[in-house]
Amino acid sequence: MTRILRSPISIPLHWQILAALILGGLYGFLLPHEAHYVTWAGDLFLRALRMIVAPLILCSIISGVAGLKNNLTGDSGANQSGQSGGATLGRLGLKTLSYYAITSLLAITVGLILVNLVRPGDGMEPPAVQEASIEVKPLNQTLLEIIPRNVFQALMQDDMLSIIFFAFLAGAVMLRMEKEKGEVLINFFQSAFDLMMRMTDWIVRFAPLGILGIVAGVVSEKYLEGNLLESVKSLGAYMAVVLIALFIHAFVTLFAILRFYGGFNPLKHLKAMSSALLMAFSTSSSSATLPLTMECCEKQAGISNRTTSFVLPLGATVNMDGTALYECVATLFIAQAWGIELTVTQQLIVVFTALLASVGAAGIPMAGLVTITIILSAVGLPAEAVGLIITVDRILDMFRTAVNVWSDSCGAAVIAQSEGEGIYKSDPI
Ligand code: ASP
């Protein structure tokens, strides 16, 4: 365990964030018309995070992948087995993608079972289809656009998958360059990555202020909309199913994976990640949380940059267990409310399209609500049906984003252990 995150006040950051969350909530609730006095702090904070995300991903992945070369003379498991940088790259890639797919499918399964048992949509008035202007890119287009036409444009537009693709490619090619040329570049990107992490460190000191502003803004907005309480009442059973399923995935499934595959106490990892999880909860954005997720994984959990740079940036974009679970529950709920009985085959289609839809969702607030239309159309439900669940989506988003980030961090921890990094070794179970 290395350095504890420092902030201007000596209370640990996660307590500060928690206090800010509560204070922000109270402020938004008690003074909804005065929220603008604090929301600017949230806007500034989110801007600062967004400023850092694209260069952080770029430098982190390039330095992580290209750094495999340096590790060849180091003491990692890969080196002992004498594998080349390319082979290590392949092995890490395979482990990472398998982790993403398996945990997302497990999450969806929990949601599927629960929504079929509870059937929260039964007996709901089949609502008139409400207007919802939602547009989603076709999957083949999304896949095609992973290869950016212009990498600078991708950086400018925060096209995460394109940036990740370019960074992996550049890092992998650097591994194969002649020593003198490759080293200059690798050293450059490692220093640049260090710079980004230091900037992150500095920005997250302002997290409590930023979060107070963000939460006050969201709460006052919902309060002023006025229909939240009513929606919560009528959609209570649906919300309960989503929340209970998320809880089971986070604290049963992922805890079991940490204990049995990681070999350490899951609570220790939960504590190490607490600041990032609270941040994910308050911002509803995996991407905005990414800098802090990386910081917590590296500095609190002691996971190497080699592993975090593999698992976390990609994870923030494609590994969304919470979103996948929520999308599956929401689709079945909508079908139940419309009185449509989905067959087993159709439910299987929901499972696999929920996986794809969660991969396609960006790490930003309410992105899941947009990609859910992929699933709805796969089973013949109208895309506008999302109007039914839209009012409570922002609340559920906070919880599912925290689960998304938690799963990414668990992936980093488990993969680090499997690579022989020995995290939490000074503190066995
Ligand atoms: N807000 C989620 C995230 O950033 C995505 C979603 O809407 O489900 O991870």
Side-chain angles (χ1 to χ4, degrees):
M1 189 104 19
T2 47
R3 189 162 54 104
I4 302 288
L5 291 176
R6 285 192 200 295
S7 66
I9 317 168
S10 60
I11 304 166
L13 186 66
H14 54 272
W15 290 121
Q16 291 184 41
I17 297 182
L18 191 65
L21 222 157
I22 296 168
L23 286 178
L26 283 176
Y27 188 107
F29 184 68
L30 298 174
L31 301 167
H33 295 281
E34 320 298 334
H36 58 277
Y37 287 118
V38 289
T39 47
W40 60 269
D43 293 340
L44 276 186
F45 180 58
L46 284 178
R47 286 183 80 96
L49 283 171
R50 292 197 65 148
M51 167 183 87
I52 204 87
V53 165
L56 176 69
I57 293 182
L58 185 78
C59 300
S60 141
I61 295 182
I62 294 184
S63 68
V65 173
L68 295 176
K69 192 169 202 160
N70 296 342
N71 288 340
L72 291 178
T73 51
D75 59 359
S76 78
N79 311 328
Q80 282 150 16
S81 62
Q83 281 187 321
S84 70
T88 310
L89 191 66
R91 194 189 60 238
L92 275 175
L94 195 68
K95 281 185 191 174
T96 306
L97 294 181
S98 316
Y99 173 86
Y100 291 166
I102 292 169
T103 52
S104 295
L105 284 175
L106 286 173
I108 298 172
T109 311
V110 172
L112 187 73
I113 294 174
L114 223 60
V115 74
N116 273 307
L117 284 179
V118 180
R119 300 193 59 90
D122 281 355
M124 288 217 38
E125 284 286 300
V129 166
Q130 297 174 27
E131 264 308 304
S133 55
I134 285 195
E135 221 179 281
V136 65
K137 262 191 231 163
L139 189 66
N140 56 356
Q141 183 76 11
T142 311
L143 290 178
L144 193 72
E145 287 177 4
I146 290 178
I147 300 183
R149 218 181 321 186
N150 178 333
V151 71
F152 294 100
Q153 197 181 15
L155 283 166
M156 274 165 58
Q157 295 176 341
D158 284 344
D159 283 340
M160 299 303 174
L161 285 178
S162 303
I163 300 172
I164 290 170
F165 175 81
F166 177 80
F168 266 105
L169 198 63
V173 174
M174 265 175 225
L175 272 174
R176 289 173 176 75
M177 285 172 86
E178 309 87 66
K179 194 168 183 288
E180 327 71 71
K181 288 185 187 161
E183 254 173 25
V184 178
L185 283 170
I186 294 173
N187 288 339
F188 171 79
F189 278 103
Q190 275 169 349
S191 301
F193 173 62
D194 193 42
L195 169 71
M196 294 307 152
M197 285 305 275
R198 280 165 198 256
M199 287 175 75
T200 300
D201 207 15
W202 183 75
I203 293 169
V204 297
R205 291 177 191 202
F206 296 94
L209 278 180
I211 283 171
L212 191 142
I214 296 168
V215 176
V218 173
V219 172
S220 71
E221 200 184 295
K222 285 285 156 199
Y223 181 83
L224 294 176
E225 272 172 19
N227 57 355
L228 185 66
L229 261 186
E230 238 165 74
S231 312
V232 169
K233 247 191 244 159
S234 69
L235 296 172
Y238 156 70
M239 292 176 78
V241 170
V242 174
L243 294 178
I244 293 170
L246 286 174
F247 185 89
I248 294 175
H249 183 67
F251 297 111
V252 179
T253 313
L254 291 176
F255 263 42
I257 291 178
L258 288 183
R259 196 173 264 282
F260 297 118
Y261 289 95
F264 53 81
N265 186 345
L267 289 173
K268 288 198 168 68
H269 191 54
L270 189 67
K271 187 161 173 242
M273 295 309 300
S274 51
S275 299
L277 297 178
L278 287 169
M279 170 97 144
F281 183 79
S282 344
T283 59
S284 290
S285 170
S286 308
S287 294
T289 311
L290 179 64
L292 189 55
T293 316
M294 295 188 69
E295 175 130 353
C296 287
C297 276
E298 294 191 15
K299 295 188 175 154
Q300 308 281 353
I303 302 171
S304 72
N305 165 247
R306 186 181 98 139
T307 305
T308 54
S309 66
F310 240 89
V311 184
L312 297 178
L314 194 59
T317 321
V318 308
N319 180 43
M320 297 197 176
D321 295 4
T323 301
L325 179 158
Y326 143 84
E327 293 191 332
C328 171
V329 173
T331 305
L332 291 203
F333 170 72
I334 288 170
Q336 288 165 2
W338 256 263
I340 298 167
E341 206 53 57
L342 294 182
T343 61
V344 176
T345 322
Q346 279 174 314
Q347 297 210 10
L348 281 179
I349 294 177
V350 171
V351 169
F352 286 103
T353 41
L355 182 66
L356 289 181
S358 70
V359 169
I364 53 172
M366 291 172 78
L369 190 73
V370 178
T371 60
I372 201 173
T373 50
I374 299 175
I375 318 174
L376 293 176
S377 68
V379 287
L381 291 163
E384 294 76 15
V386 292
L388 179 65
I389 51 169
I390 224 164
T391 40
V392 294
D393 188 70
R394 189 64 175 78
I395 304 176
L396 295 179
D397 197 5
M398 301 172 89
F399 291 91
R400 65 180 188 253
T401 308
V403 173
N404 291 345
V405 170
W406 173 234
S407 170
D408 293 341
S409 81
C410 292
V414 169
I415 292 169
Q417 284 300 68
S418 77
E419 290 288 306
E421 286 186 24
I423 55 169
Y424 303 113
K425 63 181 162 209
S426 55
D427 249 346
I429 299 173

PDB file of all heavy atoms in Angstrom, residues 340-371:
ATOM      1  N   ILE A 340     -46.548  -8.408 -22.816  1.00  0.00           N
ATOM      2  CA  ILE A 340     -45.954  -9.303 -23.818  1.00  0.00           C
ATOM      3  C   ILE A 340     -45.094 -10.338 -23.107  1.00  0.00           C
ATOM      4  O   ILE A 340     -44.221  -9.988 -22.304  1.00  0.00           O
ATOM      5  CB  ILE A 340     -45.084  -8.496 -24.818  1.00  0.00           C
ATOM      6  CG1 ILE A 340     -45.960  -7.497 -25.568  1.00  0.00           C
ATOM      7  CG2 ILE A 340     -44.351  -9.421 -25.784  1.00  0.00           C
ATOM      8  CD1 ILE A 340     -45.178  -6.458 -26.327  1.00  0.00           C
ATOM      9  N   GLU A 341     -45.377 -11.593 -23.391  1.00  0.00           N
ATOM     10  CA  GLU A 341     -44.613 -12.660 -22.743  1.00  0.00           C
ATOM     11  C   GLU A 341     -43.430 -13.016 -23.636  1.00  0.00           C
ATOM     12  O   GLU A 341     -43.620 -13.490 -24.761  1.00  0.00           O
ATOM     13  CB  GLU A 341     -45.559 -13.867 -22.559  1.00  0.00           C
ATOM     14  CG  GLU A 341     -45.206 -14.807 -21.429  1.00  0.00           C
ATOM     15  CD  GLU A 341     -45.036 -14.117 -20.069  1.00  0.00           C
ATOM     16  OE1 GLU A 341     -45.971 -13.437 -19.590  1.00  0.00           O
ATOM     17  OE2 GLU A 341     -43.932 -14.258 -19.515  1.00  0.00           O
ATOM     18  N   LEU A 342     -42.219 -12.776 -23.184  1.00  0.00           N
ATOM     19  CA  LEU A 342     -41.068 -13.113 -24.025  1.00  0.00           C
ATOM     20  C   LEU A 342     -40.721 -14.593 -23.858  1.00  0.00           C
ATOM     21  O   LEU A 342     -40.662 -15.097 -22.732  1.00  0.00           O
ATOM     22  CB  LEU A 342     -39.852 -12.251 -23.639  1.00  0.00           C
ATOM     23  CG  LEU A 342     -39.966 -10.745 -23.892  1.00  0.00           C
ATOM     24  CD1 LEU A 342     -38.670 -10.046 -23.515  1.00  0.00           C
ATOM     25  CD2 LEU A 342     -40.296 -10.441 -25.349  1.00  0.00           C
ATOM     26  N   THR A 343     -40.493 -15.270 -24.994  1.00  0.00           N
ATOM     27  CA  THR A 343     -40.154 -16.690 -24.931  1.00  0.00           C
ATOM     28  C   THR A 343     -38.711 -16.844 -24.423  1.00  0.00           C
ATOM     29  O   THR A 343     -37.978 -15.861 -24.313  1.00  0.00           O
ATOM     30  CB  THR A 343     -40.215 -17.316 -26.341  1.00  0.00           C
ATOM     31  OG1 THR A 343     -39.235 -16.617 -27.127  1.00  0.00           O
ATOM     32  CG2 THR A 343     -41.571 -17.175 -26.964  1.00  0.00           C
ATOM     33  N   VAL A 344     -38.332 -18.093 -24.147  1.00  0.00           N
ATOM     34  CA  VAL A 344     -36.963 -18.339 -23.661  1.00  0.00           C
ATOM     35  C   VAL A 344     -35.953 -17.854 -24.698  1.00  0.00           C
ATOM     36  O   VAL A 344     -34.947 -17.205 -24.364  1.00  0.00           O
ATOM     37  CB  VAL A 344     -36.763 -19.848 -23.362  1.00  0.00           C
ATOM     38  CG1 VAL A 344     -35.323 -20.130 -22.953  1.00  0.00           C
ATOM     39  CG2 VAL A 344     -37.711 -20.287 -22.260  1.00  0.00           C
ATOM     40  N   THR A 345     -36.232 -18.156 -25.974  1.00  0.00           N
ATOM     41  CA  THR A 345     -35.304 -17.713 -27.025  1.00  0.00           C
ATOM     42  C   THR A 345     -35.207 -16.194 -27.030  1.00  0.00           C
ATOM     43  O   THR A 345     -34.107 -15.632 -27.116  1.00  0.00           O
ATOM     44  CB  THR A 345     -35.823 -18.165 -28.413  1.00  0.00           C
ATOM     45  OG1 THR A 345     -36.389 -19.448 -28.279  1.00  0.00           O
ATOM     46  CG2 THR A 345     -34.739 -18.150 -29.448  1.00  0.00           C
ATOM     47  N   GLN A 346     -36.349 -15.537 -26.904  1.00  0.00           N
ATOM     48  CA  GLN A 346     -36.310 -14.071 -26.906  1.00  0.00           C
ATOM     49  C   GLN A 346     -35.538 -13.542 -25.696  1.00  0.00           C
ATOM     50  O   GLN A 346     -34.803 -12.565 -25.791  1.00  0.00           O
ATOM     51  CB  GLN A 346     -37.734 -13.506 -26.899  1.00  0.00           C
ATOM     52  CG  GLN A 346     -38.362 -13.491 -28.278  1.00  0.00           C
ATOM     53  CD  GLN A 346     -39.815 -13.054 -28.210  1.00  0.00           C
ATOM     54  OE1 GLN A 346     -40.580 -13.521 -27.355  1.00  0.00           O
ATOM     55  NE2 GLN A 346     -40.208 -12.171 -29.094  1.00  0.00           N
ATOM     56  N   GLN A 347     -35.679 -14.244 -24.569  1.00  0.00           N
ATOM     57  CA  GLN A 347     -34.945 -13.801 -23.371  1.00  0.00           C
ATOM     58  C   GLN A 347     -33.444 -14.001 -23.565  1.00  0.00           C
ATOM     59  O   GLN A 347     -32.629 -13.217 -23.083  1.00  0.00           O
ATOM     60  CB  GLN A 347     -35.437 -14.547 -22.134  1.00  0.00           C
ATOM     61  CG  GLN A 347     -36.894 -14.238 -21.847  1.00  0.00           C
ATOM     62  CD  GLN A 347     -37.249 -14.316 -20.370  1.00  0.00           C
ATOM     63  OE1 GLN A 347     -36.389 -14.422 -19.514  1.00  0.00           O
ATOM     64  NE2 GLN A 347     -38.535 -14.249 -20.070  1.00  0.00           N
ATOM     65  N   LEU A 348     -33.078 -15.060 -24.297  1.00  0.00           N
ATOM     66  CA  LEU A 348     -31.653 -15.265 -24.589  1.00  0.00           C
ATOM     67  C   LEU A 348     -31.131 -14.158 -25.504  1.00  0.00           C
ATOM     68  O   LEU A 348     -30.009 -13.680 -25.359  1.00  0.00           O
ATOM     69  CB  LEU A 348     -31.425 -16.635 -25.232  1.00  0.00           C
ATOM     70  CG  LEU A 348     -31.415 -17.802 -24.245  1.00  0.00           C
ATOM     71  CD1 LEU A 348     -31.199 -19.122 -24.985  1.00  0.00           C
ATOM     72  CD2 LEU A 348     -30.333 -17.612 -23.186  1.00  0.00           C
ATOM     73  N   ILE A 349     -31.999 -13.767 -26.442  1.00  0.00           N
ATOM     74  CA  ILE A 349     -31.615 -12.650 -27.315  1.00  0.00           C
ATOM     75  C   ILE A 349     -31.399 -11.396 -26.455  1.00  0.00           C
ATOM     76  O   ILE A 349     -30.430 -10.651 -26.643  1.00  0.00           O
ATOM     77  CB  ILE A 349     -32.699 -12.393 -28.392  1.00  0.00           C
ATOM     78  CG1 ILE A 349     -32.766 -13.587 -29.334  1.00  0.00           C
ATOM     79  CG2 ILE A 349     -32.436 -11.098 -29.158  1.00  0.00           C
ATOM     80  CD1 ILE A 349     -33.848 -13.502 -30.391  1.00  0.00           C
ATOM     81  N   VAL A 350     -32.283 -11.208 -25.462  1.00  0.00           N
ATOM     82  CA  VAL A 350     -32.124 -10.050 -24.571  1.00  0.00           C
ATOM     83  C   VAL A 350     -30.767 -10.122 -23.866  1.00  0.00           C
ATOM     84  O   VAL A 350     -30.037  -9.139 -23.775  1.00  0.00           O
ATOM     85  CB  VAL A 350     -33.271  -9.993 -23.527  1.00  0.00           C
ATOM     86  CG1 VAL A 350     -32.988  -8.930 -22.474  1.00  0.00           C
ATOM     87  CG2 VAL A 350     -34.605  -9.714 -24.204  1.00  0.00           C
ATOM     88  N   VAL A 351     -30.403 -11.321 -23.394  1.00  0.00           N
ATOM     89  CA  VAL A 351     -29.135 -11.468 -22.665  1.00  0.00           C
ATOM     90  C   VAL A 351     -27.962 -11.030 -23.548  1.00  0.00           C
ATOM     91  O   VAL A 351     -27.121 -10.221 -23.137  1.00  0.00           O
ATOM     92  CB  VAL A 351     -28.946 -12.938 -22.207  1.00  0.00           C
ATOM     93  CG1 VAL A 351     -27.528 -13.167 -21.690  1.00  0.00           C
ATOM     94  CG2 VAL A 351     -29.960 -13.287 -21.137  1.00  0.00           C
ATOM     95  N   PHE A 352     -27.917 -11.531 -24.770  1.00  0.00           N
ATOM     96  CA  PHE A 352     -26.747 -11.230 -25.606  1.00  0.00           C
ATOM     97  C   PHE A 352     -26.773  -9.802 -26.153  1.00  0.00           C
ATOM     98  O   PHE A 352     -25.729  -9.160 -26.234  1.00  0.00           O
ATOM     99  CB  PHE A 352     -26.588 -12.286 -26.708  1.00  0.00           C
ATOM    100  CG  PHE A 352     -26.074 -13.556 -26.109  1.00  0.00           C
ATOM    101  CD1 PHE A 352     -26.913 -14.628 -25.875  1.00  0.00           C
ATOM    102  CD2 PHE A 352     -24.743 -13.663 -25.691  1.00  0.00           C
ATOM    103  CE1 PHE A 352     -26.448 -15.791 -25.260  1.00  0.00           C
ATOM    104  CE2 PHE A 352     -24.270 -14.804 -25.074  1.00  0.00           C
ATOM    105  CZ  PHE A 352     -25.128 -15.874 -24.862  1.00  0.00           C
ATOM    106  N   THR A 353     -27.975  -9.318 -26.461  1.00  0.00           N
ATOM    107  CA  THR A 353     -27.992  -7.926 -26.933  1.00  0.00           C
ATOM    108  C   THR A 353     -27.717  -6.974 -25.772  1.00  0.00           C
ATOM    109  O   THR A 353     -27.143  -5.899 -25.970  1.00  0.00           O
ATOM    110  CB  THR A 353     -29.311  -7.543 -27.640  1.00  0.00           C
ATOM    111  OG1 THR A 353     -30.392  -8.105 -26.925  1.00  0.00           O
ATOM    112  CG2 THR A 353     -29.349  -7.994 -29.071  1.00  0.00           C
ATOM    113  N   ALA A 354     -28.096  -7.368 -24.543  1.00  0.00           N
ATOM    114  CA  ALA A 354     -27.785  -6.508 -23.386  1.00  0.00           C
ATOM    115  C   ALA A 354     -26.268  -6.414 -23.222  1.00  0.00           C
ATOM    116  O   ALA A 354     -25.727  -5.358 -22.898  1.00  0.00           O
ATOM    117  CB  ALA A 354     -28.417  -7.051 -22.117  1.00  0.00           C
ATOM    118  N   LEU A 355     -25.597  -7.523 -23.485  1.00  0.00           N
ATOM    119  CA  LEU A 355     -24.128  -7.508 -23.413  1.00  0.00           C
ATOM    120  C   LEU A 355     -23.572  -6.522 -24.443  1.00  0.00           C
ATOM    121  O   LEU A 355     -22.753  -5.663 -24.124  1.00  0.00           O
ATOM    122  CB  LEU A 355     -23.593  -8.919 -23.669  1.00  0.00           C
ATOM    123  CG  LEU A 355     -22.085  -9.089 -23.580  1.00  0.00           C
ATOM    124  CD1 LEU A 355     -21.595  -8.860 -22.169  1.00  0.00           C
ATOM    125  CD2 LEU A 355     -21.676 -10.493 -24.031  1.00  0.00           C
ATOM    126  N   LEU A 356     -24.068  -6.629 -25.671  1.00  0.00           N
ATOM    127  CA  LEU A 356     -23.598  -5.726 -26.735  1.00  0.00           C
ATOM    128  C   LEU A 356     -23.966  -4.270 -26.442  1.00  0.00           C
ATOM    129  O   LEU A 356     -23.156  -3.360 -26.618  1.00  0.00           O
ATOM    130  CB  LEU A 356     -24.231  -6.112 -28.075  1.00  0.00           C
ATOM    131  CG  LEU A 356     -23.735  -7.402 -28.693  1.00  0.00           C
ATOM    132  CD1 LEU A 356     -24.434  -7.647 -30.021  1.00  0.00           C
ATOM    133  CD2 LEU A 356     -22.226  -7.325 -28.913  1.00  0.00           C
ATOM    134  N   ALA A 357     -25.202  -4.086 -25.960  1.00  0.00           N
ATOM    135  CA  ALA A 357     -25.658  -2.714 -25.699  1.00  0.00           C
ATOM    136  C   ALA A 357     -24.828  -2.076 -24.592  1.00  0.00           C
ATOM    137  O   ALA A 357     -24.536  -0.880 -24.630  1.00  0.00           O
ATOM    138  CB  ALA A 357     -27.130  -2.722 -25.319  1.00  0.00           C
ATOM    139  N   SER A 358     -24.408  -2.879 -23.615  1.00  0.00           N
ATOM    140  CA  SER A 358     -23.599  -2.295 -22.539  1.00  0.00           C
ATOM    141  C   SER A 358     -22.197  -1.969 -23.046  1.00  0.00           C
ATOM    142  O   SER A 358     -21.574  -1.007 -22.619  1.00  0.00           O
ATOM    143  CB  SER A 358     -23.533  -3.233 -21.331  1.00  0.00           C
ATOM    144  OG  SER A 358     -22.753  -4.366 -21.628  1.00  0.00           O
ATOM    145  N   VAL A 359     -21.709  -2.782 -23.986  1.00  0.00           N
ATOM    146  CA  VAL A 359     -20.407  -2.482 -24.594  1.00  0.00           C
ATOM    147  C   VAL A 359     -20.500  -1.173 -25.376  1.00  0.00           C
ATOM    148  O   VAL A 359     -19.611  -0.325 -25.331  1.00  0.00           O
ATOM    149  CB  VAL A 359     -19.971  -3.635 -25.530  1.00  0.00           C
ATOM    150  CG1 VAL A 359     -18.776  -3.245 -26.364  1.00  0.00           C
ATOM    151  CG2 VAL A 359     -19.668  -4.889 -24.720  1.00  0.00           C
ATOM    152  N   GLY A 360     -21.619  -1.001 -26.049  1.00  0.00           N
ATOM    153  CA  GLY A 360     -21.791   0.183 -26.899  1.00  0.00           C
ATOM    154  C   GLY A 360     -22.083   1.454 -26.116  1.00  0.00           C
ATOM    155  O   GLY A 360     -21.926   2.552 -26.637  1.00  0.00           O
ATOM    156  N   ALA A 361     -22.497   1.309 -24.834  1.00  0.00           N
ATOM    157  CA  ALA A 361     -22.843   2.511 -24.066  1.00  0.00           C
ATOM    158  C   ALA A 361     -21.576   3.270 -23.690  1.00  0.00           C
ATOM    159  O   ALA A 361     -20.598   2.680 -23.260  1.00  0.00           O
ATOM    160  CB  ALA A 361     -23.606   2.115 -22.796  1.00  0.00           C
ATOM    161  N   ALA A 362     -21.623   4.591 -23.865  1.00  0.00           N
ATOM    162  CA  ALA A 362     -20.470   5.400 -23.473  1.00  0.00           C
ATOM    163  C   ALA A 362     -20.482   5.563 -21.954  1.00  0.00           C
ATOM    164  O   ALA A 362     -21.518   5.367 -21.317  1.00  0.00           O
ATOM    165  CB  ALA A 362     -20.569   6.763 -24.142  1.00  0.00           C
ATOM    166  N   GLY A 363     -19.341   5.915 -21.395  1.00  0.00           N
ATOM    167  CA  GLY A 363     -19.265   6.064 -19.941  1.00  0.00           C
ATOM    168  C   GLY A 363     -19.742   7.419 -19.464  1.00  0.00           C
ATOM    169  O   GLY A 363     -19.037   8.108 -18.733  1.00  0.00           O
ATOM    170  N   ILE A 364     -20.935   7.791 -19.894  1.00  0.00           N
ATOM    171  CA  ILE A 364     -21.472   9.112 -19.527  1.00  0.00           C
ATOM    172  C   ILE A 364     -22.891   8.945 -18.961  1.00  0.00           C
ATOM    173  O   ILE A 364     -23.502   7.895 -19.170  1.00  0.00           O
ATOM    174  CB  ILE A 364     -21.517  10.072 -20.748  1.00  0.00           C
ATOM    175  CG1 ILE A 364     -22.258   9.419 -21.915  1.00  0.00           C
ATOM    176  CG2 ILE A 364     -20.122  10.483 -21.179  1.00  0.00           C
ATOM    177  CD1 ILE A 364     -22.507  10.352 -23.079  1.00  0.00           C
ATOM    178  N   PRO A 365     -23.412   9.970 -18.274  1.00  0.00           N
ATOM    179  CA  PRO A 365     -24.732   9.797 -17.661  1.00  0.00           C
ATOM    180  C   PRO A 365     -25.821   9.393 -18.659  1.00  0.00           C
ATOM    181  O   PRO A 365     -25.912   9.934 -19.751  1.00  0.00           O
ATOM    182  CB  PRO A 365     -25.028  11.183 -17.058  1.00  0.00           C
ATOM    183  CG  PRO A 365     -23.694  11.787 -16.834  1.00  0.00           C
ATOM    184  CD  PRO A 365     -22.807  11.249 -17.907  1.00  0.00           C
ATOM    185  N   MET A 366     -26.617   8.429 -18.249  1.00  0.00           N
ATOM    186  CA  MET A 366     -27.787   7.947 -18.986  1.00  0.00           C
ATOM    187  C   MET A 366     -27.500   7.385 -20.382  1.00  0.00           C
ATOM    188  O   MET A 366     -28.407   7.310 -21.210  1.00  0.00           O
ATOM    189  CB  MET A 366     -28.854   9.041 -19.056  1.00  0.00           C
ATOM    190  CG  MET A 366     -29.439   9.287 -17.677  1.00  0.00           C
ATOM    191  SD  MET A 366     -30.545  10.702 -17.568  1.00  0.00           S
ATOM    192  CE  MET A 366     -32.038  10.054 -18.276  1.00  0.00           C
ATOM    193  N   ALA A 367     -26.262   6.972 -20.605  1.00  0.00           N
ATOM    194  CA  ALA A 367     -25.939   6.373 -21.906  1.00  0.00           C
ATOM    195  C   ALA A 367     -26.664   5.044 -22.067  1.00  0.00           C
ATOM    196  O   ALA A 367     -27.063   4.664 -23.170  1.00  0.00           O
ATOM    197  CB  ALA A 367     -24.438   6.162 -22.027  1.00  0.00           C
ATOM    198  N   GLY A 368     -26.861   4.345 -20.962  1.00  0.00           N
ATOM    199  CA  GLY A 368     -27.525   3.046 -21.002  1.00  0.00           C
ATOM    200  C   GLY A 368     -28.947   3.150 -21.509  1.00  0.00           C
ATOM    201  O   GLY A 368     -29.467   2.244 -22.159  1.00  0.00           O
ATOM    202  N   LEU A 369     -29.582   4.257 -21.203  1.00  0.00           N
ATOM    203  CA  LEU A 369     -30.967   4.454 -21.632  1.00  0.00           C
ATOM    204  C   LEU A 369     -31.058   4.574 -23.151  1.00  0.00           C
ATOM    205  O   LEU A 369     -32.074   4.252 -23.757  1.00  0.00           O
ATOM    206  CB  LEU A 369     -31.525   5.732 -20.984  1.00  0.00           C
ATOM    207  CG  LEU A 369     -33.008   5.956 -21.125  1.00  0.00           C
ATOM    208  CD1 LEU A 369     -33.767   5.006 -20.223  1.00  0.00           C
ATOM    209  CD2 LEU A 369     -33.373   7.382 -20.803  1.00  0.00           C
ATOM    210  N   VAL A 370     -29.958   5.045 -23.753  1.00  0.00           N
ATOM    211  CA  VAL A 370     -29.942   5.190 -25.212  1.00  0.00           C
ATOM    212  C   VAL A 370     -29.726   3.831 -25.866  1.00  0.00           C
ATOM    213  O   VAL A 370     -30.475   3.442 -26.770  1.00  0.00           O
ATOM    214  CB  VAL A 370     -28.825   6.173 -25.641  1.00  0.00           C
ATOM    215  CG1 VAL A 370     -28.774   6.283 -27.152  1.00  0.00           C
ATOM    216  CG2 VAL A 370     -29.040   7.521 -25.001  1.00  0.00           C
ATOM    217  N   THR A 371     -28.740   3.082 -25.370  1.00  0.00           N
ATOM    218  CA  THR A 371     -28.426   1.819 -26.068  1.00  0.00           C
ATOM    219  C   THR A 371     -29.450   0.723 -25.775  1.00  0.00           C
ATOM    220  O   THR A 371     -29.446  -0.307 -26.434  1.00  0.00           O
ATOM    221  CB  THR A 371     -27.006   1.321 -25.733  1.00  0.00           C
ATOM    222  OG1 THR A 371     -26.916   1.103 -24.335  1.00  0.00           O
ATOM    223  CG2 THR A 371     -25.945   2.289 -26.179  1.00  0.00           C
TER     224      THR A 371
END
